[in-house]
Amino acid sequence: MIGIIGGNGVAATNRLCQLIEERCTRKGAFRDGHHPEMLIWQATKVPSRSMYLEGKGPNWIEDYVEIGRKMKECGCTKLCMCCNTAHYAIEELSEKIGLPFFNLLDLVALKVKEIRCTKIGMMCSDGLRKVGIYEERFARLVPNVTFVYPDREYQDIVTKGICNAKHKIRFTDSSVEPLHPNNLFTSVCSHLINDKNVDCIVGGMHRY
């Protein structure tokens, strides 16, 4: 049984469940029993991961440890997190909880290696950008790649996009609403491609 520590954000967790169901069905599932058992914990009361890494908020790690242990008691045998920023503590969490995690950062690194990119545009939270956890993970699996971050004004747009992906504005028509998260993230992608000449872009942030 897979345990998903979610709520970071809520829409991203719901989207993950949808993607898992779609993938299983496309690969041949046609009964409920063909899908994995999952336990989803919408951990909405846990402090902000990014704010902690920025030095502006309380630690959230022990909250995740407590949740993970409860999921283990319920029968989960492997865990995952929707939050890129939470991967900062993935090894500590795995050790304290006593269960392995699907490591999103490692999976992204392997995909970058597969498509042979060397200059990576990075869209992520301020906290993740500050600690450089993607660089650390990539150094183990895909050395000799370069990470490029948005200029400050565009980093602020990334933050706005992350916030608006959790806001009712995401239900508006993106063709008329300039602050729709799709439009905000698209503008950052254009900046990274046209101004920074990146080979690919990693969206290390909450999506929906």
Side-chain angles (χ1 to χ4, degrees), residues 6 24 32-33 42 45 48 57-58 69 73 86 89 115 120 126 132 138 155 161 185 190-191 195 199:
C24 290
D32 295 340
Q42 295 280 26
K45 304 305 180 186
S48 167
R69 287 173 175 169
E73 291 174 2
I115 62 178
I120 303 166
D126 286 336
F138 270 57
Q155 180 64 36
F185 292 137
S190 296
H191 163 63
D195 300 335
D199 298 327

Side-chain angles (χ1 to χ4, degrees), residues 2-3 5 68 71 76-81 97 99-102:
I2 301 168
I5 303 178
M71 298 180 97
C76 291
T77 53
K78 196 163 185 177
L79 302 177
C80 72
M81 300 179 288
I97 296 169
L99 286 178
F101 276 81
F102 291 100

Side-chain angles (χ1 to χ4, degrees), residues 5 8 16 49-50 53 60-61 64 79-94 101-108 125 128 131-134 136-137 140 204-206:
I5 303 178
N8 39 45
L16 174 62
R49 281 69 57 200
S50 182
L53 296 183
W60 49 271
I61 295 175
Y64 269 38
L79 302 177
C80 72
M81 300 179 288
C82 298
C83 181
N84 278 259
T85 308
H87 281 65
Y88 165 79
I90 191 169
E91 292 173 343
E92 178 181 355
L93 291 170
S94 181
F101 276 81
F102 291 100
N103 192 314
L104 177 60
L105 277 61
D106 287 352
L107 294 172
V108 172
S125 67
L128 197 64
V131 298
I133 190 64
Y134 259 94
E136 178 184 329
R137 302 300 302 193
R140 307 179 188 184
M205 67 232 173
H206 315 300

Side-chain angles (χ1 to χ4, degrees), residues 123-149:
M123 292 200 301
C124 64
S125 67
D126 286 336
L128 197 64
R129 176 172 178 165
K130 180 179 179 180
V131 298
I133 190 64
Y134 259 94
E135 289 91 328
E136 178 184 329
R137 302 300 302 193
F138 270 57
R140 307 179 188 184
L141 298 171
V142 196
N144 303 318
V145 297
T146 301
F147 280 85
V148 179
Y149 288 88

Side-chain angles (χ1 to χ4, degrees), residues 6-184:
N8 39 45
V10 174
T13 308
N14 295 340
R15 177 61 174 151
L16 174 62
C17 293
Q18 180 183 0
L19 289 170
I20 292 172
E21 185 275 331
E22 288 180 1
R23 182 174 179 83
C24 290
T25 301
R26 290 182 184 279
K27 289 177 70 69
F30 57 91
R31 293 178 179 168
D32 295 340
H34 297 159
H35 296 263
E37 286 193 312
M38 298 189 297
L39 181 63
I40 294 93
W41 189 304
Q42 295 280 26
T44 56
K45 304 305 180 186
V46 174
S48 167
R49 281 69 57 200
S50 182
M51 293 292 284
Y52 169 69
L53 296 183
E54 294 173 55
K56 300 177 181 178
N59 198 331
W60 49 271
I61 295 175
E62 290 306 317
D63 293 276
Y64 269 38
V65 170
E66 181 180 358
I67 291 169
R69 287 173 175 169
K70 289 178 179 178
M71 298 180 97
K72 182 179 180 181
E73 291 174 2
C74 289
C76 291
T77 53
K78 196 163 185 177
L79 302 177
C80 72
M81 300 179 288
C82 298
C83 181
N84 278 259
T85 308
H87 281 65
Y88 165 79
I90 191 169
E91 292 173 343
E92 178 181 355
L93 291 170
S94 181
E95 181 179 351
K96 289 184 175 180
I97 296 169
L99 286 178
F101 276 81
F102 291 100
N103 192 314
L104 177 60
L105 277 61
D106 287 352
L107 294 172
V108 172
L110 292 173
K111 173 57 69 172
V112 168
K113 183 177 182 179
E114 176 187 332
I115 62 178
R116 299 182 179 180
C117 289
T118 59
K119 191 175 183 181
I120 303 166
M122 192 73 200
M123 292 200 301
C124 64
S125 67
D126 286 336
L128 197 64
R129 176 172 178 165
K130 180 179 179 180
V131 298
I133 190 64
Y134 259 94
E135 289 91 328
E136 178 184 329
R137 302 300 302 193
F138 270 57
R140 307 179 188 184
L141 298 171
V142 196
N144 303 318
V145 297
T146 301
F147 280 85
V148 179
Y149 288 88
D151 292 343
R152 186 67 252 176
E153 62 179 297
Y154 285 96
Q155 180 64 36
D156 292 340
I157 294 174
V158 173
T159 300
K160 186 67 174 177
I162 292 171
C163 293
N164 283 5
K166 304 178 183 182
H167 188 277
K168 64 181 180 180
I169 198 171
R170 89 167 195 266
F171 300 118
T172 61
D173 185 348
S174 61
S175 67
V176 297
E177 175 51 71
L179 294 180
H180 192 283
N182 279 355
N183 294 328
L184 296 174

